[in-house]
């Protein structure tokens, strides 16, 4: 929990506004759902400056600098609104944040920093991770996933940092 509750609330409100605005701009939620883009916003910094505060978190900055060096660019910043328990969302499919890579690197190429604006629980759709998968080129077998997948439960205001090649 490294983000103050008032900032979490401001980011949550900004994300709700941005999801609605982008859906309206691009033809409505149904049209976005047809291409797997429903309930999410892209390029948050472009339209909602409050998300710049994430890049100003000293602890996050220290982690990024320690793992990637002093000049790490922001590759993307997306906001995902998970549906109620039981509903589907495209982001629930296993993926890497550096997709379509059938190889691995000996050190991190990029990091993901997942910010929980609501409590991350099984009921709220907390992200599942497959620890160690950043060291394997191919996705694991269903049996391996069933045994080793871990859900990232965390309170609102938490930032979960991970190797972008880790399947989640």
């Amino acid at each position: 929990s490294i983000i103050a509750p008032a900032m979490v609330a401001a980011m949550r409100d900004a994300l709700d506004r941005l999801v609605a605005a982008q859906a309206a701009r691009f033809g409505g939620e149904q049209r976005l759902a047809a291409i797997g883009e429903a309930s999410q916003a892209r390029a948050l910094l472009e339209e909602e400056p409050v998300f710049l505060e994430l890049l100003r978190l000293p602890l996050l900055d220290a982690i990024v600098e320690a793992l990637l060096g002093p000049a790490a660019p922001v590759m993307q910043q997306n906001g995902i609104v998970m549906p109620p328990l039981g509903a589907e969302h495209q982001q629930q499919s296993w993926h890497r944040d550096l997709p379509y890579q059938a190889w691995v690197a000996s050190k991190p190429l990029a990091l993901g920093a997942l910010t929980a604006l609501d409590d991350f629980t099984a009921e709220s759709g907390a992200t599942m991770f497959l620890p160690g998968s950043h060291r394997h080129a191919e996705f694991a077998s269903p049996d391996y996933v069933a045994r080793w997948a871990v859900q990232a439960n965390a309170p609102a205001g938490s930032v979960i940092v991970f190797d972008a090649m880790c399947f989640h």
Side-chain angles (χ1 to χ4, degrees), residues 94 128-131 139-150 167:
W94 288 102
M128 299 290 291
F129 285 89
L130 195 56
F139 188 65
S141 71
D143 289 340
Y144 186 92
V145 172
R147 180 172 181 189
W148 296 106
V150 175
F167 279 101

Side-chain angles (χ1 to χ4, degrees), residues 78-97:
N78 302 322
I80 301 163
V81 178
M82 295 305 292
L85 187 61
E88 295 289 322
H89 191 286
Q90 182 174 350
Q91 289 295 324
Q92 290 169 313
S93 300
W94 288 102
H95 66 280
R96 289 176 158 157
D97 286 345

Side-chain angles (χ1 to χ4, degrees), residues 37-141:
E37 289 290 317
S39 299
Q40 55 191 333
R42 304 290 185 176
L44 305 181
L45 283 170
E46 183 70 21
E47 298 182 58
E48 289 285 353
V50 69
F51 292 107
L52 182 60
E53 296 308 312
L54 294 171
L55 303 179
R56 293 182 174 141
L57 294 170
L59 182 55
L60 182 58
D61 188 50
I63 292 169
V64 170
E65 186 165 332
L67 294 172
L68 298 179
V74 174
M75 183 174 71
Q76 62 185 9
Q77 193 183 44
N78 302 322
I80 301 163
V81 178
M82 295 305 292
L85 187 61
E88 295 289 322
H89 191 286
Q90 182 174 350
Q91 289 295 324
Q92 290 169 313
S93 300
W94 288 102
H95 66 280
R96 289 176 158 157
D97 286 345
L98 295 175
Y100 314 114
Q101 307 302 318
W103 52 272
V104 294
S106 60
K107 62 181 185 175
L109 302 172
L111 298 174
L114 199 154
T115 305
L117 298 182
D118 291 304
D119 289 340
F120 246 34
T121 65
E123 294 78 25
S124 68
T127 300
M128 299 290 291
F129 285 89
L130 195 56
S133 60
H134 63 290
R135 294 187 175 124
H136 302 278
E138 302 298 325
F139 188 65
S141 71

